[in-house]
């Protein structure tokens, strides 16, 4: 039993923490969020130079060979700075799918480019009707000689506006809700028949709806086995949920620290508002919520690393806790800041909005609680 | 005890329905939704209500009130909310007017009340200051008498709609000795006075309704003072209790819940309607049960008021429960919108976007966080109940 980080892991965490502190203040972030692409190419290049884009990839592809602990540390620090750059979309989802796919040619072609920062990626999985069901896929891929033809629509694609290449889930057989028959394809963003419509989210992220009108890709664009896409998607999404949990934990730490600080300095009735017991107990609750989230996150990371059978249930539990603790923590942070908490100028609201979008991503608390119940009460 | 409607009540309800259907037309709704025409559209709508004679249900008859029974007021509110009609802007009609007709002199009543009724003047509320929120009585904006004028210096903050306002009602400090509540004066200030500056504050919902209002040597005639100098706190407190009886928002919450129920019947996850999902259902019915109770709590308070009782600390209960329920409904709608809960306004149509209500849910959820802060925060309301009701 050991909850210590290795020296390498501590160095990674410190380097991200220092960077976020020195080069990613709230004004920098605001400028990036307001820009058309919603990310900074210069920041991304620095991430590449610092080696962060290589963290989860195997050494054979030029990666750092890191595991869930390394990703956790990185994402937690990104959370503290509300980093907008598409680490989740490009490295963890696009890169994660390629790395696990067994499609060696594609991995060898794309992963080095991801690592050096010259390729932006996205995973286009969501459809307007699909909500949290990853298996609810209507987009179709039809075999046509040596190629496939893709038609359909993907929505709220993270980094969809900036991606050079996308991995798209499409149905090669079966019915709308079947888990079997879903295949993944690597589609260049400039493919004929692919159209991108971009819009912004409240957390500063720029996302896109993508329509595919008879887009032709070669058979070699298949990521993983035909019809077996879900077996590839599930573990990648599980890892992504844990990474989002780490990002959320970083945000919660900031919200709690800033709120605690505020209640010590804001005076009403001649005293610091933190001296009111009614507020003290609420801050004790948010402190405990943070600790509970951290514990489930560590539990999930360890089980993932160890390949434990219990990992899927633990990851559902983590996502439930992230939402429960997150809503409590951002709710109290806004409330205890009074009018100040309601302004766009203060960073509190921006942390809250990112937590809200994390809750919605890959299934909210209710959804994961339902899945957890299925596993535990069946 | 009897809560059934009489035939006269039913006839009244039908009359209200017919009016709303006719007067709250699509053209008006479109103008209300557009930021650039918002103010004019609000004024137009309120003028239509004035012409109908329904603009001020809570005012005494002699000043232009409707003289409705509590049942009629209840019916009117329910129908307003059910038609998705926004409540009137409260600052003139519901906040300063009761102070003027209760504590103002005849000249002030004649000068201000008819213009408020006709929505000729837009009012805003200048109470809070950067250093004085929950502890409002500590306010520092100073007014010094100079001949027959006060000279006002200081700053107010969180002033809703100050950018539209013709008038602001303010609490100002006229005396720094003795108890802090005893040196406060209630002034009506023309927003066109030299020395007033309005600075916008963008709120968490990405909109501009809040402002900071600066006063630099602003001269205010003594004739604009309500009641006596240094007695403003008494007048303001009476008004705060008034603000709270309408704050429960039961009728709007009922409509909000129905909207969510309707939307949940359209939202599908893995082939199952959200409305059939046991976890979602439980959250929906948890809220509805609280709301059913609150509706009767509000009726009980209104009945007490109608039979001559004062709305006391019970109005704090309405505020706390009412805002908790509003926020719970807004939160449920956000969860329903799932990935689309974060959408900011953009150029895409709902059809292109693939979703109908994400951006609307976001806006009301984000702004809705304020309901537990303004009008006396919920923590402060709990302090009031602890002290005034429970004697702690
Ligand atoms: C959207 C919005 C619109 C508004 N519109 C107007 C307007 O038009 N005109 C106007 O004058 N004002 C307006 N306000 C201001 C509002 O009335 C104040 O925000 C409110 O009184 C709280 O004051 P504060 O923001 O200074 O918070 P603070 O008083 O600093 O409170 C911070 C936190 O401490 C808590 N707290 C304070 N004292 C205690 C205590 N004794 N015990 C326990 N907890 C305590 C509060 O509940 C809050 O959670 C508006 C505010 C908002 C958010």
């Amino acid at each position: 039993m050991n909850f210590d980080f290795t020296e390498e892991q501590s160095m990674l965490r410190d380097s991200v923490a220092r960077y976020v502190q020195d080069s990613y203040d709230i004004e920098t972030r605001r400028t990036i969020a307001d820009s058309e692409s919603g990310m900074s190419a210069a920041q991304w290049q620095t991430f590449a130079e610092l080696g962060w884009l290589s963290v989860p990839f195997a050494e054979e592809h030029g990666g750092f060979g890191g595991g869930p602990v390394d990703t956790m540390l990185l994402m937690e620090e990104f959370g503290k700075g509300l980093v907008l750059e598409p680490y989740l979309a490009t490295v963890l989802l696009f890169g994660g799918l390629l790395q696990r796919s067994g499609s060696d040619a594609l991995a060898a072609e794309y992963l080095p480019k991801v690592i050096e920062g010259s390729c932006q990626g996205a995973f286009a999985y969501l459809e307007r009707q699909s909500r949290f069901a990853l298996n609810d896929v209507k987009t179709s891929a039809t075999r046509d000689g040596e190629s496939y033809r893709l038609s359909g629509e993907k929505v709220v694609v993270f980094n969809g506006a900036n991606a050079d290449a996308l991995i798209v889930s499409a149905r090669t057989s079966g019915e709308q809700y079947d888990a079997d028959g879903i295949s993944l394809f690597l589609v260049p963003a400039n493919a004929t028949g692919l159209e991108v419509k971009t819009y912004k989210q409240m957390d500063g992220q720029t996302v896109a709806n993508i329509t595919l009108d008879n887009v032709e890709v070669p058979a070699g664009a298949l990521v993983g086995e035909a019809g077996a896409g879900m077996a590839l998607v599930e573990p990648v999404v599980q890892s992504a949920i844990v990474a989002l949990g780490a990002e959320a934990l970083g945000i919660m730490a900031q919200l709690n620290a800033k709120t605690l600080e505020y209640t010590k300095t804001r005076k009403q009735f001649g005293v610091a508002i933190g001296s009111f017991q009614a507020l003290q107990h609420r801050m004790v609750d948010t402190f405990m919520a943070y600790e509970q989230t951290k514990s489930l996150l560590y539990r999930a990371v360890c089980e993932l690393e160890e390949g434990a059978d219990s990992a899927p249930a633990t990851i559902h539990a983590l996502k439930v806790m992230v939402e429960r603790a997150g809503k409590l923590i951002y709710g109290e942070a806004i409330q205890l800041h009074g009018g100040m908490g309601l302004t766009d100028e203060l960073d509190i609201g921006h942390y809250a909005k990112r937590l809200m979008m994390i809750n919605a991503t890959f299934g909210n608390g209710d959804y994961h609680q339902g899945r957890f119940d299925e596993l535990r009460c069946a | 005890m009897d809560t059934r409607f009489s035939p006269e009540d039913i006839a009244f309800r039908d009359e209200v329905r017919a009016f709303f259907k006719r007067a709250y037309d699509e053209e008006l709704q479109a103008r209300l939704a557009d930021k650039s025409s918002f103010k004019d559209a609000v004024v137009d709508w309120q003028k239509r209500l004035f012409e109908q004679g329904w603009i001020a249900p809570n005012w005494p008859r002699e000043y232009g009130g409707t003289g409705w029974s509590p049942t009629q007021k209840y019916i009117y509110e329910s129908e307003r909310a059910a038609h998705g009609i926004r409540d009137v802007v409260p600052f003139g009609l519901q906040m300063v007017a009761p102070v003027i007709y209760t504590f103002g002199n005849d000249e002030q009543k004649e000068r201000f009340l008819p213009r408020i009724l006709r929505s000729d003047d837009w009012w805003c509320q200048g109470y809070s200051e950067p250093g004085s929120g929950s502890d409002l009585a500590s306010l520092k904006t100073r007014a010094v008498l100079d001949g027959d004028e006060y000279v006002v210096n200081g700053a107010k903050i969180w002033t809703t709609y100050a950018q539209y306002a013709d008038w602001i009602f303010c609490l100002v400090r006229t005396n720094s000795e003795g108890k802090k509540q005893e040196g406060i004066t209630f002034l009506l200030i023309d927003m066109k006075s030299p020395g007033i500056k309005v600075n916008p504050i963008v709120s968490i919902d990405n909109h501009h309704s809040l402002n900071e209002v600066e006063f630099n040597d602003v001269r205010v005639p003594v004739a604009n003072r309500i009641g006596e100098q240094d007695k403003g706190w008494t007048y303001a407190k009476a008004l705060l209790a008034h603000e709270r009886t309408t704050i429960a928002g039961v009728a709007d919450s009922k409509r909000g819940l129905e909207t969510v129920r309707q939307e949940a019947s359209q939202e599908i996850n893995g082939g199952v309607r959200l409305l059939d999902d046991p976890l979602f259902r439980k959250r929906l019915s948890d809220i509805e049960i609280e709301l059913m109770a609150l509706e009767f709590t509000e009726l009980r308070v209104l009945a007490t008021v109608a039979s001559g009782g004062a709305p006391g600390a019970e109005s704090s209960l309405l505020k706390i429960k009412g805002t908790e329920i509003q926020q719970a409904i807004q939160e449920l709608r956000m969860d329903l919108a799932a990935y689309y809960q974060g959408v900011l306004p953009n150029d895409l149509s709902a059809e292109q976007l693939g979703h109908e209500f994400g951006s609307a849910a976001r806006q009301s959820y984000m702004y809705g966080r304020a309901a537990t802060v303004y009008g006396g925060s919920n923590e402060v309301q709990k302090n009031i109940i602890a002290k005034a009701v429970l004697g702690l």
Side-chain angles (χ1 to χ4, degrees):
Chain A
M1 187 79 68
N2 167 12
F3 288 109
D4 298 333
F5 302 121
T6 65
E7 201 172 314
E8 253 183 341
Q9 288 167 340
S10 298
M11 277 169 58
L12 173 67
R13 185 192 54 199
D14 293 347
S15 98
V16 185
R18 215 173 316 114
Y19 183 84
V20 164
Q21 181 126 58
D22 296 345
S23 312
Y24 218 93
D25 59 53
I26 185 85
E27 280 316 310
T28 306
R29 177 184 186 270
R30 198 184 287 273
T31 312
I32 297 172
D34 291 345
S35 70
E36 199 186 319
S37 68
M39 62 161 289
S40 155
Q43 297 270 0
W44 192 253
Q45 267 320 304
T46 312
F47 291 9
E49 281 154 26
L50 292 168
W52 301 344
L53 306 185
S54 75
V55 165
F57 299 118
E59 281 154 28
E60 55 175 300
H61 296 298
F64 171 83
V69 177
D70 304 273
T71 303
M72 172 183 82
L73 293 172
L74 199 130
M75 289 297 286
E76 189 178 345
E77 298 306 322
F78 280 169
K80 289 181 186 167
L82 287 176
V83 167
L84 290 160
E85 280 61 30
Y87 199 85
L88 175 76
T90 297
V91 176
L92 300 179
L93 295 175
F94 180 81
L97 287 166
L98 284 174
Q99 158 134 300
R100 279 181 171 266
S101 65
S103 303
D104 294 339
L106 289 177
E109 182 184 350
Y110 282 95
L111 291 184
K113 289 199 262 183
V114 167
I115 290 170
E116 70 176 30
S118 64
C119 174
Q120 285 289 343
F123 176 32
Y125 59 95
L126 197 68
E127 301 186 359
R128 60 171 67 190
Q129 83 289 346
S130 60
R131 198 173 166 84
F132 302 135
L134 294 165
N135 54 315
D136 183 350
V137 174
K138 288 205 225 172
T139 297
S140 67
T142 325
R143 186 90 198 211
D144 179 8
E146 281 309 292
S147 30
Y148 283 92
R149 291 186 173 274
L150 275 63
S151 284
E153 182 198 37
K154 296 289 169 177
V155 299
V156 200
V157 178
F158 303 139
N159 204 32
N162 304 309
D164 302 296
L166 306 109
I167 294 179
V168 178
S169 62
R171 193 161 280 293
T172 38
S173 64
E175 302 293 326
Q176 186 182 344
Y177 299 115
D178 290 349
D180 288 340
I182 295 168
S183 308
L184 305 181
F185 295 91
L186 196 142
V187 184
N190 61 7
T192 311
L194 186 149
E195 199 195 324
V196 180
K197 288 191 208 79
T198 302
Y199 49 97
K200 299 242 178 209
Q201 292 187 154
M202 64 178 168
D203 62 350
Q205 301 276 338
T206 304
V207 297
N209 285 5
I210 291 178
T211 45
L212 303 141
D213 181 12
N214 214 17
V215 172
E216 184 178 1
V217 291
L222 200 57
V223 180
E225 305 273 320
M230 281 307 284
L232 184 51
V233 167
E234 263 166 12
V236 170
V237 165
Q238 282 174 354
S239 301
I241 289 174
V242 175
L244 284 170
E247 184 185 349
L249 190 76
I251 295 173
M252 291 177 198
Q254 291 286 57
L255 285 170
N256 278 354
K258 284 167 189 282
T259 305
L260 184 61
E261 178 60 28
Y262 188 73
T263 59
K264 286 179 180 171
T265 48
R266 171 68 175 171
K267 286 207 166 119
Q268 287 292 275
F269 306 98
V271 294
I273 57 173
S275 67
F276 301 129
Q277 230 165 37
L279 300 193
Q280 288 174 355
H281 287 191
R282 307 248 297 257
M283 282 184 293
V284 172
D285 286 339
T286 57
F287 162 76
M288 294 194 297
Y290 169 82
E291 292 296 332
Q292 288 286 80
T293 308
K294 187 175 201 168
S295 297
L296 266 189
L297 175 67
Y298 282 13
R299 185 174 189 138
V301 165
C302 291
E303 292 183 9
L304 206 56
E305 182 107 52
E306 294 153 16
D309 292 342
S310 51
T314 303
I315 291 167
H316 292 312
L318 170 65
K319 197 72 168 64
V320 174
M321 183 67 84
V322 163
E323 172 160 320
R324 194 182 292 167
K327 283 180 171 172
L328 178 78
I329 287 171
Y330 76 67
E332 296 292 20
I334 294 172
Q335 180 70 19
L336 298 192
H337 277 81
M340 286 305 296
L342 268 301
T343 62
D344 178 65
E345 190 187 342
L346 207 70
D347 51 11
I348 295 297
H350 297 279
Y351 283 106
K353 289 170 186 175
R354 181 60 193 152
L355 275 183
M356 289 160 66
M357 290 318 297
I358 288 175
N359 287 341
T361 304
F362 297 126
N364 63 13
D366 279 356
Y367 173 78
H368 283 279
Q369 190 142 12
R371 302 287 306 271
F372 182 85
D373 292 350
E374 279 167 23
L375 290 177
R376 308 302 293 176
C377 309
Chain B
M1 293 194 32
D2 185 355
T3 58
R4 281 166 299 189
F5 290 156
S6 67
E8 293 77 33
D9 293 332
I10 306 259
F12 175 72
R13 185 194 64 195
D14 294 343
E15 186 191 352
V16 171
R17 276 188 191 166
F19 171 73
F20 284 154
K21 243 183 131 152
R22 173 162 40 85
Y24 197 73
D25 55 50
E26 275 174 24
E27 189 253 6
L28 180 78
Q29 292 175 40
R31 284 169 58 220
L32 283 167
D34 180 348
K35 233 195 298 190
S36 63
S37 51
F38 172 76
K39 180 189 174 180
D40 289 346
V42 167
V43 171
D44 279 359
W45 168 239
Q46 294 191 176
K47 282 184 182 291
R48 285 179 206 182
L49 282 173
F50 167 74
E51 278 151 26
Q52 182 72 12
W54 293 353
I55 188 69
N58 288 315
W59 289 26
R61 263 209 110 127
E62 52 180 313
Y63 300 118
T66 51
W68 286 340
S69 68
T71 309
Q72 285 176 308
K73 286 184 194 171
Y74 169 82
I75 289 172
Y76 180 81
E77 259 300 284
S78 305
E79 292 300 321
R80 177 192 62 71
H83 284 78
I85 297 174
R86 51 176 301 119
D87 204 352
V88 296
V89 176
F91 305 108
L93 285 155
Q94 294 169 2
M95 294 186 180
V96 76
V99 171
I100 295 173
Y101 62 64
T102 312
F103 304 106
N105 58 35
D106 287 344
E107 192 267 338
Q108 289 166 337
K109 290 180 197 172
E110 272 163 41
R111 184 169 162 212
F112 292 109
L113 294 179
R115 294 183 61 83
I116 293 176
L117 276 176
R118 286 196 309 265
S119 297
D120 287 341
D121 292 329
W122 188 296
W123 283 81
C124 65
Q125 179 191 34
Y127 280 14
S128 308
E129 297 181 6
S132 306
S134 299
D135 181 15
L136 185 58
S138 69
L139 59 92
K140 291 197 177 63
T141 296
R142 287 195 63 83
V144 179
L145 202 54
D146 177 23
D148 56 2
E149 287 177 329
Y150 285 102
V151 181
V152 180
N153 278 289
K156 297 291 177 181
I157 197 168
W158 317 124
T159 323
T160 302
Y161 294 149
Q163 76 267 36
Y164 300 143
D166 304 297
W167 286 85
I168 182 169
F169 57 98
C170 282
L171 291 177
V172 294
R173 179 148 310 279
T174 36
N175 192 338
S176 306
E177 281 150 36
K179 274 187 74 182
K180 59 188 177 183
Q181 286 84 357
E182 284 164 11
I184 292 171
T185 297
F186 198 111
L187 289 184
L188 312 178
I189 305 179
D190 187 337
M191 287 293 282
K192 286 185 289 296
S193 315
I196 293 187
K197 187 160 174 265
V198 177
N199 306 312
I201 299 173
V202 176
S203 46
I204 196 166
D205 58 347
N206 301 62
H207 273 248
H208 166 213
S209 60
L210 301 176
N211 302 274
E212 184 196 26
V213 183
E214 289 177 47
F215 299 83
N216 291 302
D217 289 329
V218 175
R219 304 192 77 88
V220 182
V222 172
N224 292 7
R225 185 188 70 211
I226 295 288
E228 293 175 45
Q229 178 168 306
D230 295 348
K231 292 275 161 34
W233 185 254
T234 332
Y235 316 139
K237 261 186 84 170
L239 183 151
L240 280 178
H242 215 278
E243 182 177 341
R244 271 174 224 136
T245 50
T246 51
I247 215 158
V250 167
D252 290 304
S253 286
K254 279 169 81 174
R255 170 167 162 111
L257 209 57
E258 280 323 299
T259 305
V260 171
R261 190 191 303 280
Q262 164 63 26
E263 286 162 351
S265 72
Q266 310 287 322
E267 187 76 18
I268 311 284
N269 196 81
V272 180
R273 297 190 314 165
L274 257 277
L275 198 54
D276 297 330
D277 176 88
L279 288 169
F280 191 87
R281 278 186 172 181
K282 176 164 188 320
R283 288 176 65 191
L284 195 66
S285 57
D286 277 346
I287 299 172
E288 183 164 11
I289 289 163
E290 287 286 332
L291 186 55
M292 287 163 67
L294 185 67
E295 182 167 24
F296 264 55
T297 307
E298 186 179 62
L299 290 177
R300 282 166 53 209
V301 173
L302 287 179
T304 310
V305 175
S307 58
E314 292 83 1
S315 61
S316 294
L317 189 165
L318 293 179
K319 202 262 167 166
I320 297 167
K321 278 287 158 194
T323 52
E324 284 177 359
I325 289 169
Q326 287 159 26
Q327 291 185 345
I329 295 168
Q330 290 156 355
E331 178 185 326
L332 199 55
R333 195 166 185 229
M334 287 293 267
D335 289 345
L336 198 58
Y339 280 95
Y340 283 104
Q341 67 180 272
V343 178
L344 293 177
N346 55 54
D347 296 336
L348 304 179
S349 66
E351 178 49 31
Q352 289 172 314
L353 188 66
H355 202 260
E356 295 281 346
F357 61 88
S359 188
R362 173 194 53 77
Q363 221 225 301
S364 60
Y365 177 83
M366 292 318 308
Y367 184 76
R369 298 306 88 195
T372 44
V373 171
Y374 59 54
S377 77
N378 284 21
E379 290 75 27
V380 167
Q381 305 295 346
K382 285 186 185 176
N383 289 347
I384 292 172
I385 295 180
K387 212 167 146 187
V389 180
L390 305 179
L392 292 169

